Amino acid sequence: MIIANWKCNGSTEMVLSWFEAYNIEFNFENYDFDIFIGLALPSIYLNHFDREDSQFNFAEWGVQDVDHSDGSRTGAISVDMLIDMECDFSIIGHSERRQIFNEDNDLIKEKLKSLNNRIMPVLCIGETKEENDKGITKDILKNQLEIVNGLELDESFTIAYEPVWAIGSGLTPEPKDINEIHKYIKDVVQSNSANNLIPTVLYGGSVTDKNAESFFKEEFVDGALVGGASLDGTTFAKIVNIFNSTKKT
Ligand code: PGA
């Protein structure tokens, strides 16, 4: 599974040129059509294009965040609206939402509960540099994962492990360390969810076409959530091609 997170970037012109570049680079011939390729463009562009058109239809479409309720909530987009617009997934709990918009675990849990069994949730978790330096990464992740405790999780439930210090910095943990953390995340969710679900776990944070293979080779890395490198259609297609040839899942 590879997901593009465009964050607050893009324009009509950029979307069109992105797809053109993507479709030139994307290796259609050897593509395993079971691979989930998700695009989380700014949601205002979601219905701006004919998503059934062949230049767009390789992808699953999603959003970067969602609200847990509807009605008098200015600026919000609800899960019902995502279903109405035929969205496939929603990212929740991104560290930028936690830090800039002050979202806490209680709110993120409400979002998870409202998505669960309706739209695929992609829950982001990750430690800061300071927490990493202190050696408390696993404690921090366990705390962020408390929101799954006792929940009957949908089979599609996905986690993106994104160390905050790796996002947009060009720094990444060692692939073997990412692998160990992913195994830990799978174990925690399996032990604490009501249905003992083993989630899909993506890695996110400065993934590029240059380092992607080193992550995808690791056993418990099920894909990537790609920010900066997803803004270029050619680079994102290269990452998908690398995933396709390394994993075939
Ligand atoms: P990055 O962002 O790939 O630019 O580091 C990843 C993310 O924030 O999802």
Side-chain angles (χ1 to χ4, degrees), residues 25-46:
E25 185 65 33
F26 180 47
N27 189 352
F28 273 103
E29 259 170 42
N30 296 314
Y31 179 53
D32 174 346
F33 282 89
D34 286 337
I35 294 177
F36 184 109
I37 304 172
L39 302 182
L41 274 46
S43 54
I44 198 164
Y45 295 117
L46 248 184

Side-chain angles (χ1 to χ4, degrees), residues 51-118:
R51 286 186 263 149
E52 296 307 314
D53 186 291
S54 62
Q55 67 175 319
F56 307 129
N57 71 2
F58 65 87
E60 315 285 336
W61 293 69
V63 291
Q64 301 165 14
D65 191 44
V66 70
D67 201 5
H68 61 286
S69 191
D70 56 11
S72 303
R73 304 176 70 81
T74 301
I77 292 175
S78 71
V79 177
D80 284 343
M81 292 171 191
L82 299 190
I83 293 168
D84 189 28
M85 286 291 130
E86 299 181 0
C87 270
D88 303 294
F89 67 95
S90 174
I91 298 171
I92 50 171
H94 192 282
S95 61
E96 287 153 15
R97 300 293 315 175
R98 293 177 195 256
Q99 289 182 338
I100 305 169
F101 301 96
N102 295 320
E103 295 195 2
D104 62 14
N105 250 7
D106 291 343
L107 177 64
I108 297 163
K109 181 168 189 167
E110 291 307 310
K111 295 184 182 201
L112 174 60
K113 282 184 355 202
S114 59
L115 286 166
N116 200 25
N117 294 313
R118 303 178 77 205

Side-chain angles (χ1 to χ4, degrees), residues 193-243:
S193 56
N195 51 336
N196 304 119
L197 184 91
I198 302 174
T200 298
V201 183
L202 312 178
Y203 169 71
S206 295
V207 174
T208 67
D209 53 324
K210 305 288 181 291
N211 61 18
E213 191 179 357
S214 68
F215 306 132
F216 298 156
K217 276 182 174 162
E218 297 293 335
E219 182 181 356
F220 299 109
V221 176
D222 302 318
L225 178 56
V226 187
S230 76
L231 295 175
D232 181 84
T234 305
T235 308
F236 187 69
K238 281 183 183 164
I239 295 170
V240 173
N241 291 344
I242 293 164
F243 185 76

